[in-house]
Amino acid sequence: MGLILGIESSCDETAAAVVENGRKVHSSVIATQIDLHKAFGGVVPEIAARAHLQLIDQIVDEALDKAKVTLDQIDAIAVTQGPGLIGALLVGICYAKGMAVASGKPLIPINHVEAHIHGAMLGLSTAAEELYPCLALVVSGGHTNIYLMPDPTTFQLLAYSIDDACGESFDKVSKLFGLGYPGGPVIEKLARAGDPRAYAMPRMMEQKDKLLFSYSGLKTYMVNLRQRLPTPIPDDVLGHLCASFQEEALGQLVRKLEGAYTLHPEARSILIAGGVAANLRFRHLVHERIGIPAYFPQLQYCSDNAAMIAALGYHHLEKAGKAATFMNYNWDAFSRYQFTDNMV
Ligand code: KG4
Ligand code: ZN
C-alpha cells in the first residue's frame, strides 16, 4: 500500500505526482500559471480554475508516464481538499473523484497546509524515530503556522499569524517598491547587496513564549519609510531596505521557533516548508540559532506541488491500516485553513 498518486490544484499550480512510501518521488509534474496572473498582481480565481481544467488530464497522464506506472499499479489517490480557491480545488477534486470511482481506488482528502510539511521529507532518508516528535513551520504567502507533530499525521497548531502571513509581507513590500510578484525571491536577491543593520526595524511579537506571529506592523513601517525616500530609490538604499526588512521578517520566524522549542524540548527535529523556506538567509539563520536538526525541502518542493500531497496521503493510509476508510467519496472542499481538534 505504498504507491500514491497525488493531485494538487488549490491555487495557481496544476500538479500531479507519484510517490512511494511518503518519501521516494517517482515523478512530480508541475504546471505553473504565474504568467496568466502576473498582469493582475495576484491570482484571479476564475482564471485559475479554468486553466486547471484545461491542463489537469495532461498533467496526471504525464505524472503516471514519468513514473512508468499505470493507474492499476497505484494504491490510492490523494487530492488537495483545502484550503484554497474553491473553483480551483473543485477541478482537482472532481477529477480525482472521477478517477477513484472509475478505478475503485481509495481517495484520500488532504489538507494542503499540513502536506507542505511532508515536502521537507521528500527524498530524506532520516529514520522516523530521529524526526518525531518534531516542530514544523509552514511559512508561505498564506500561512505562518508552527505545529507540534508527535507523528506524521497529527498536527497540533502552536502558532499562527494574527494578521499577514510572512510571505505576504514580502509580496506587499515588493509591490511597494515596484519590484513585482512574487516578492520573496527578488527581495532576497537585492538584500544580498545590502546591510541588514542599515535601518532599525520594529521588532514584532518579541515575547518568545507568546507563540503568535504578526507582520502587518512591519509592513506599515515600510510604507511610512517609503514616504520619506526619494523616487526613484537609489540602488544602494534599496539593497539596505530589502536587507533590513528581510532580517526582521525572518528574525521573527526564528524567535518563535526558539520559543516553540523552549516550550517543547521533546522535539527531535524541525521541519520547515512553504515558499519562504526557499530563502537561503533563513536557512542559514535557522541552522545557526536552533540547536536541533532542521530539515528544509529541496527547492522544487518548497512551493506548491503534488508530491507532498501524495506523501501525506501515504501516511493517512498507513495510519488507517486499511484502504476501506477512504472508499467514501462523499466529502466537500474547504477554502480556509480548518482548525482541527488538535488545536492546543
Ligand atoms: O508556498 P508558496 O509557493 O505558495 C503559497 O503561498 O501557498 O509560497 C509563496 C510565498 C510568496 O509569498 C513568496 O513571496 C514567498 O513564498 N517566497 C519567498 C521566497 N521565495 C518565495 N519569501 C522569501 N524568500 C524567498 N526566497
Ligand atoms: Zn501552498
Side-chain angles (χ1 to χ4, degrees):
M1 293 216 303
L3 206 58
I4 312 291
L5 169 67
I7 296 177
E8 153 66 33
S9 71
S10 64
C11 191
D12 57 347
E13 263 94 30
T14 317
V18 175
V19 178
E20 188 180 343
N21 296 346
R23 298 273 186 104
K24 187 172 178 202
V25 182
H26 288 263
S27 66
S28 173
V29 182
I30 306 170
T32 182
Q33 305 173 1
I34 251 178
D35 289 340
L36 282 181
H37 302 286
K38 236 177 193 152
F40 305 97
V43 179
V44 183
E46 184 167 335
I47 294 178
R50 287 168 184 262
H52 286 308
L53 195 56
Q54 280 188 340
L55 275 185
I56 192 144
D57 49 345
Q58 274 167 254
I59 298 295
V60 170
D61 283 352
E62 206 178 316
L64 291 169
D65 287 350
K66 281 201 169 145
K68 298 192 175 61
V69 293
T70 61
L71 186 55
D72 277 352
Q73 292 165 277
I74 295 288
D75 295 301
I77 301 166
V79 66
T80 305
Q81 181 182 22
L85 305 169
I86 283 295
L89 287 164
L90 292 181
V91 174
I93 292 173
C94 289
Y95 191 86
K97 282 193 180 191
M99 275 188 117
V101 170
S103 62
K105 304 273 176 190
L107 179 65
I108 310 166
I110 296 294
N111 181 312
H112 175 97
V113 180
E114 295 172 355
H116 262 296
I117 299 164
H118 282 269
M121 287 179 273
L122 293 168
L124 198 69
S125 55
T126 312
E129 305 76 59
E130 289 177 45
L131 293 174
Y132 301 103
C134 71
L135 290 166
L137 168 70
V138 181
V139 59
S140 67
H143 297 90
T144 317
N145 293 356
I146 298 179
Y147 302 87
L148 178 66
M149 289 174 65
D151 59 63
T153 55
T154 308
F155 302 85
Q156 298 175 348
L157 189 63
L158 301 179
Y160 55 92
S161 175
I162 56 169
D163 42 56
D164 292 351
C166 179
E168 187 180 356
S169 76
F170 274 87
D171 296 333
K172 287 181 173 169
V173 167
S174 175
K175 195 169 182 181
L176 177 71
F177 295 134
L179 300 173
Y181 175 88
V186 60
I187 290 182
E188 179 182 11
K189 192 163 165 238
L190 293 173
R192 278 188 213 126
D195 175 3
R197 285 153 306 178
Y199 290 92
M201 293 286 130
R203 282 164 70 93
M204 308 298 297
M205 309 303 265
E206 255 210 291
Q207 263 178 290
K208 278 190 189 166
D209 57 346
K210 209 170 190 180
L211 293 183
L212 287 174
F213 293 99
S214 169
Y215 280 95
S216 72
L218 187 59
K219 171 193 65 190
T220 306
Y221 186 82
M222 296 304 287
V223 170
N224 291 335
L225 194 57
R226 171 70 190 92
Q227 283 167 357
R228 299 202 297 272
L229 296 168
T231 300
I233 301 174
D235 285 350
D236 57 336
V237 174
L238 192 58
H240 294 327
L241 285 168
C242 288
S244 304
F245 161 77
Q246 173 177 268
E247 203 68 5
E248 173 49 28
L250 302 178
Q252 189 183 152
L253 299 175
V254 177
R255 287 199 295 278
K256 297 300 164 185
L257 283 175
E258 286 174 333
Y261 182 46
T262 305
L263 291 173
H264 294 281
E266 70 274 26
R268 297 198 177 134
S269 68
I270 294 192
L271 301 172
I272 301 190
V276 184
N279 187 295
L280 295 181
R281 176 71 186 150
F282 181 45
R283 291 180 180 218
H284 174 80
L285 287 173
V286 169
H287 289 307
E288 189 181 68
R289 301 230 322 244
I290 311 277
I292 47 175
Y295 300 96
F296 290 82
Q298 295 168 34
L299 285 186
Q300 70 267 34
Y301 305 129
C302 281
S303 48
D304 290 351
N305 65 86
M308 66 187 198
I309 304 298
L312 178 53
Y314 164 77
H315 290 290
H316 280 305
L317 191 62
E318 199 194 38
K319 186 181 176 196
K322 51 185 188 309
T325 316
F326 301 102
M327 298 306 283
N328 166 20
Y329 311 136
N330 183 15
W331 44 262
D332 198 0
F334 56 87
S335 62
R336 303 186 72 80
Y337 182 77
Q338 291 193 331
F339 294 101
T340 60
D341 49 3
N342 288 320
M343 176 82 189
V344 289

